Amino acid sequence: MRRVTAANVLTPFERGVRPLVSQHRALAAPITDLLTIVVCGVYAIQAAQTTLWGVSSVFETTNYVYVRAPWLAWTVAPLLHGGLTHVVPNVLTLFVFGRITEAHLSRRRFAAMVVLAAVGSILALVGWSAVFASGSYVAVYGISGVVFAAAGFALVHLPRHGRVMDLELLAVLFGVCAVALVAVESIVALAFHTPAGINVGHAAGLLVGVATALVSPVGERVCPSRADPSEE
C-alpha cells in the first residue's frame, strides 16, 4: 500500500496491471454489478429495437422514444444511451470505479449516492438545456452522472485513508481527470460564449460524489483486498 501523493497517483500501474485486476476482483460490489448488467441489458433492447424499426442508429431510436413515449424515456433516462461510443465508456468506468466506491460505503449510502447522481444529473441537464439550448426539444440520458459521482467520491474520500492500494490510486487519478474535464468544458464554454456546451450532468454527478465523501466516515467499510498481505 502507498501514500496518496502526486507521484504515486500518477503511477498507479507501477507494479503492473495484474495486482490491480486482483484487487478489483476481490471487491464486493453487488449494486454496481447489477447496475452494469441492467445498463447493458437496456442497451441490448435499444439495439434490438433499432434493428426491428430499420433505422440507422441507436441514437435515432432513443430520440424517437422520447417523442413517442416520453413517459417511458424519462422514467429510464439514466439507463439509456445513444450509441456504442456513449455506452461503452460509461459501462467500463462504472464497472471499474463504481465497484471501488461501493466497497467504501454501506449499501444504503451507496444506493442513495447512485440514485441522487443518476436523477440529479438528468434534471441538471434538462434545466440547463431549457435555459441555454436553442431548440425546445430536450432529450438527455446516460449513466455518466453516477460515473462522475464515483470520481468525485474517490478524489475526496480515498486520500483521507493515508495509505491505499494501487487500485485506489487509479481511482484518485480518475477523479482528477473528471474534475479536469468539467473544468475544461466550463473554460471553453466561457471563452466561446457557448454555455449549452457544458455537460452539467457531469458536474452534478461530481458534486454528489464529493458530498457523499464529505459525510461518510473513513472507516465505514474496508475493501476486502486490504487484508491481502502482499499489499502491506
Side-chain angles (χ1 to χ4, degrees), residues 82-101:
L84 287 175
T85 57
H86 187 199
V87 71
V88 171
N90 276 353
V91 165
L92 289 178
T93 49
L94 171 66
F95 179 69
V96 173
F97 300 106
R99 298 185 92 242
I100 299 171
T101 297

Side-chain angles (χ1 to χ4, degrees), residues 65-232:
V65 174
Y66 273 83
V67 174
R68 301 300 298 180
W71 61 270
L72 174 61
W74 288 111
T75 300
V76 297
L79 304 176
L80 299 175
H81 290 82
L84 287 175
T85 57
H86 187 199
V87 71
V88 171
N90 276 353
V91 165
L92 289 178
T93 49
L94 171 66
F95 179 69
V96 173
F97 300 106
R99 298 185 92 242
I100 299 171
T101 297
E102 185 174 350
H104 283 271
L105 291 170
S106 66
R107 297 281 184 262
R108 181 177 299 179
R109 195 182 295 270
F110 180 74
M113 188 195 81
V114 167
V115 172
L116 285 174
V119 175
S121 62
I122 295 297
L123 292 179
L125 283 167
V126 170
W128 194 261
S129 298
V131 174
F132 294 105
S134 57
S136 58
Y137 172 71
V138 175
V140 295
Y141 40 83
I143 202 70
S144 59
V146 178
V147 172
F148 274 74
F153 178 87
L155 184 61
V156 174
H157 181 81
L158 295 180
R160 296 164 63 190
H161 284 272
R163 297 176 67 84
V164 299
M165 301 181 298
D166 289 347
L167 182 66
E168 293 165 324
L169 289 174
L170 181 62
V172 174
L173 178 60
F174 179 66
V176 172
C177 292
V179 171
L181 177 60
V182 171
V184 169
E185 285 181 348
S186 302
I187 292 171
V188 170
L190 181 63
F192 291 94
H193 305 287
T194 56
I198 301 176
N199 192 327
V200 294
H202 292 170
L206 196 67
L207 290 175
V208 169
V210 169
T212 302
L214 291 176
V215 300
S216 300
V218 174
E220 188 170 59
R221 285 188 71 210
V222 179
C223 298
S225 49
R226 282 186 183 279
D228 185 352
S230 66
E231 288 297 317
E232 296 297 334

